[in-house]
Amino acid sequence: MANSTEAQKPQNTKKNKKKGATLDTFYGAKIQHTEEIEDDTQENAPKPSKGNGNSPQTHEEFESEMTKKMEAFWEEKWEIMQKKFTHLQNRCDETEKENQALKARIRQLEDNDRVKEQELIKQSQNTKKLEENIKYLTNKVTDLENRGRRDNLRIIGLPEKPEINTKLDMVIQDIIKENCPEILEQGGNTATDRAHRTPSTLNPQKTTPRNVIAKFQSYQTKEKILQEARKRQFRYKGMPIRVTQDLASSTLNDRKAWNMIFRKARELGLQPRISYPAKLTIYFQGKVWAFNKIEDFQLFAKKRPELCGKFDTENQRARNT
């Protein structure tokens, strides 16, 4: 029995085709070009054999199996992508909620700031009103105090001696006789209700004598004595003294602030005077000028060539110190 052998067919050697460009897919998955997939499929597909009659895997079955594997691969990747997308969506929702909460908080803070700003404006207005009321009441109290002292005279420079302090009423009568006897000749009432030193206690560290406050029974007599004291220097037994109107301490401090300007204005022949309560008046270029504040007078002096530079109180204070 003759064995017949089939001439085996030479294997088809495929020419190496140029690989196509690979596509980077989600999370590193790479899929080759369609032509490469077809070539690989044809190469890996089992060849039909004429052997013992067993039916090998056909080309269609291989393609179906590969398709299922690709579908399973992409389903897995799709599930991963879906999970990550869901996670991102949840994070976006949380971020949006936080953003809305922050916006609401910002609006609340802005409303609170607006309310506080309105309250601050009201408080500022109330504070301004209170300050104006305090200033008005302070001026009112000072004016009432000055009016309560309208019958008083302040004697400055009277020696601090026991024989004087115990007989102040008699000393005041002697001052009137020595400096303005015409008031006595006219029958004026020079009697005083009381006279005392101020402050009440003697400070041993001070070398100047304390002032004497004398309250007269007659306001007209007090005014006549004051007018005479403005005309000339008063004396007590030959010693110079000064007689002025008794005023509240705050008014006296306001008047003292004019001292440097007052002395300079007197040197220049401007006939300065301090009128009630603390107003400076001068006679300049045939007119009487009045100033309530030092700043007003300094501005006035700067605009006049005759006075400019002569009332620089800051430089004068610096030279004195």
Side-chain angles (χ1 to χ4, degrees), residues 15 17 22 37 61 72 88 92 185 189 193 285 301 303:
K15 295 182 181 180
K17 292 184 179 180
T22 61
I37 297 175
E61 292 175 351
L88 292 175
C92 290
E185 294 173 359
N189 181 13
D193 286 338
Q285 293 181 349
K303 294 181 179 180

Side-chain angles (χ1 to χ4, degrees), residues 253-262 274 278-280 290-302 311-314 316-317:
N253 292 332
D254 292 341
R255 289 192 168 201
K256 287 180 181 178
W258 291 105
N259 284 349
M260 299 182 68
I261 294 176
F262 186 89
I274 302 295
K279 182 187 297 184
L280 175 69
F291 307 94
N292 292 319
K293 298 181 180 179
I294 295 178
E295 293 79 7
D296 297 339
F297 176 81
Q298 290 177 340
L299 183 63
F300 172 83
K302 287 180 180 179
F311 292 93
D312 193 351
T313 57
E314 294 182 359
Q316 291 177 7
R317 289 174 183 173

